Every structure is written in C-alpha cells, then in structure tokens.
Amino acid sequence: MPRGSSDGLIPLALQEEGEMHLGYMGHANQSLVTEFVFRPFSSVPTTQQLLFVLFLLLYLAIVMSHASILWVVCTDCTLHAPMYFFLGSLSGLEVCYTTVVVPQMLASVWDARTTIPVASCGVQMFFFVALGSADCFLLAVMAYDRYVAIQHPLRYALIMTRRLCWRLLATSLSLGGLLSLELTALVFALPFCSRQINHFLCDVPPVLRLACGDTRLHQTVLFSVGVAVLALPFLLICLSYALIAAAVLRIRSAKGRRRAFHTCSSHLTVVLLQYGCCGLVYLRPKAGAAEDEDRHLALIYTFATPLLNPLIYSLRNRDIKQALSRALRRTLTTQPR
C-alpha cells in the first residue's frame, strides 16, 4: 500500500467521527424542542395591555352574540326549522372555534414569554383545523338547505327532516375531524429546529416552517386538505346558488324574487368572508406566501368573521330579529322589581 494512503486514513476516520458526532448533536437539539413560544405583536408593555383588552372585548362580544343566536334558536318555537337549526349549529361551532384560539392568545399577549407545550400545540391545531373545516362543510350544507327550500318549497319539510339535519351536521364534524387528525399527526411526526412560532396560534403553515426535515410531502397534503375543505365545498355552494338563481328567476312575483334573494344574501355574504380569507392562507402557493400576511388574515377569520356572522344573520333576518326582541322582552318582564 502507498505511504500516502495509509497516512490519509487517520484524518478520514476523524472526519467521519466528527460528522457522526455533529449528526448526533443535531438530533439531540431537535429533541430538545418540547415547547413553543408565539411571536409577540409588540414589545411595548402599554401596547401589549391595550391589545389584551381589545382582543378580550372582541372575544366576549363573539361569545355573547353567538350564544344569543343559539339561545333563541333553541328556545323560540318559531325558529324550529332546518335553516335555523344549521344557523344555531354554526353559532356553536364559531364559539368553540374561537375558544380554541383566543385564551392561549390572550396569555401570550399579556406575557410574551408564555410558552405552549408541543403536545398542547398539537391539540390546539387539531381542534382549530377540525372546527374550521366543519364550519366550511356546514356552510355548504346551508347552501343546499336554501336550494331545497326555494326549488322544492312544498316538499321542503319532507326532505329536510330533523334526522337528516342531524346527519348532515354529524357528517360535517366527522369529515373535519378525520382530515384534521391526518394533517396534525403528519405535522407533529416531524422534528423541530426552532421554538418560536411566527403566529399567534398553532396553525399548520407556521408550525411547518419550524420543521427540520423535508416538508414537501406535508405541503402537498396541506394543499390537498385545503382543496377538500375550501375548494370543493365552495364549488358546491356555487352550484347551489346557480340553481337557486335559476329557480328564483322563474318566480313571476317581483316580491317573491326579492324575498328569495334576501333570504340567501346573508349566507352568501358569510361564505365570501370565510372562504375568501381562508383560501388566501391555505390555497396560495408557498412561494408567494408571506408570514406576516398570513398572521393578519388569521386575525380576520379569528375575530372579524365570527363577530360579523351573527350581525349579518340577525340584521338581515326578520325572524331572528323578532325572536331576539321577544326573548329580550321576556327577560326584562321576568326580572324582579
């Protein structure tokens, strides 16, 4: 054997040993990430306190407005129709969906050093994606309900039975849960190299950015879930409203046409708000995604959309307004004097 070859064995062995040691240390560092911290909105204490008060007031307004709709739908006998059953279910989902996010967010806003364990982050991601997906599926179900009501008014009660309504609600929740479970398990099977989430919740895109390994498969699955949750229901909603428009145009009475369009306009406004913001986050190409933009859009569908939904439905629906007025009068008259 040449002399140069034997002398080169020692440095080569030391190099391989060093690479193995560095690889071991890299895996050790990855395994040390047991908790995350959210990126603060501001480092100024006064601004943090103002944001805490603002987000808390918005959260309380969301809970109270949706609880009011859920209460009148359950207690007022004039609202025991499929449309209001789904509206009450949507309000319940919105309350749960917001509650999954806001308490942890308030803790992080109050104290920027607040951490969330990896397991708790996974739980939050699961319920956030599951409830948000069920919300999107339920909006598609509500569009179908409006189609049946306008296209088949005489058979509406026979088609949209209470049993079918419960099945449609259970299907929406089950589909959302299954898709969320698959996505959450896939994300948290990855090792993480960083602990700061550039967001205020454990959403899929910002958590994926912390992963050490190749996330191309995960990005593909995320896009596929986004298509299943957003694009397909939205296409069904568009199809329902195309059929609704065709049915409404066949109505001879101008008053009847206005009433039919007025009934559907509230739901269509909510659909555009919900699907527009979520589509920009989950269906946008990764190359064009900006982390700060995602965080701003998340504020809209975490606070603005749940807050506007009950206002849209209550202000544009005469039955809801009358039921709320009756409930308020009953509450005031039963107060002890």
Side-chain angles (χ1 to χ4, degrees), residues 38 75 121 230 303:
F38 297 109
T75 58
C121 185
L230 295 171
F303 287 104

Side-chain angles (χ1 to χ4, degrees), residues 22-255:
L22 287 173
Y24 173 77
M25 290 298 294
H27 288 294
N29 289 335
Q30 293 171 14
S31 65
L32 290 177
V33 179
T34 58
E35 58 187 16
F36 296 120
V37 62
F38 297 109
R39 177 188 166 190
F41 286 96
S42 173
S43 58
V44 181
T46 305
T47 306
Q48 287 179 318
Q49 293 168 4
L50 289 174
L51 287 173
F52 177 87
V53 173
L54 174 63
F55 292 147
L56 178 61
L57 292 176
L58 287 173
Y59 174 63
L60 293 176
I62 290 169
V63 172
M64 291 175 64
S65 58
H66 283 288
S68 299
I69 289 182
L70 191 57
W71 177 46
V72 296
V73 167
C74 293
T75 58
D76 197 303
C77 59
T78 63
L79 299 181
H80 290 175
M83 180 176 74
Y84 299 111
F85 170 83
F86 292 127
L87 180 57
S89 302
L90 184 68
S91 291
L93 278 177
E94 295 277 6
V95 171
C96 297
Y97 169 84
T98 310
T99 303
V100 167
V101 176
V102 177
Q104 177 66 43
M105 176 187 179
L106 290 174
S108 300
V109 170
W110 185 260
D111 184 2
R113 297 168 299 178
T114 301
T115 60
I116 180 172
V118 171
S120 299
C121 185
V123 171
Q124 186 188 60
M125 181 185 290
F126 168 76
F127 282 106
F128 177 75
V129 175
L131 294 170
S133 302
D135 198 305
C136 293
F137 291 135
L138 191 59
L139 287 174
V141 169
M142 293 173 74
Y144 171 73
D145 171 71
R146 291 298 82 211
Y147 161 73
V148 175
I150 293 174
Q151 184 74 19
H152 307 287
L154 299 179
R155 295 192 297 143
Y156 176 63
L158 296 176
I159 297 174
M160 299 301 296
T161 61
R162 200 69 165 176
R163 185 176 182 181
L164 178 62
C165 292
W166 278 108
R167 284 184 174 178
L168 290 172
L169 176 60
T171 302
S172 300
L173 291 169
S174 301
L175 285 175
L178 287 173
L179 291 172
S180 178
L181 182 62
E182 175 192 6
L183 192 57
T184 305
L186 198 62
V187 170
F188 281 90
L190 288 167
F192 298 104
C193 295
S194 177
R195 64 192 295 268
Q196 187 183 58
I197 301 176
N198 189 14
H199 214 291
F200 58 85
L201 65 97
C202 290
D203 201 0
V204 180
V207 173
L208 268 182
R209 294 188 185 105
L210 307 182
C212 301
D214 185 5
T215 61
R216 284 176 296 181
L217 172 63
H218 303 75
Q219 295 289 347
T220 303
V221 173
L222 174 60
F223 183 79
S224 302
V225 171
V227 169
V229 170
L230 295 171
L232 293 181
F234 186 72
L235 289 176
L236 292 175
I237 290 171
C238 291
L239 176 61
S240 297
Y241 274 102
L243 296 174
I244 287 171
V248 169
L249 292 176
R250 289 197 297 267
I251 299 175
R252 295 180 180 180
S253 167
K255 183 179 179 181

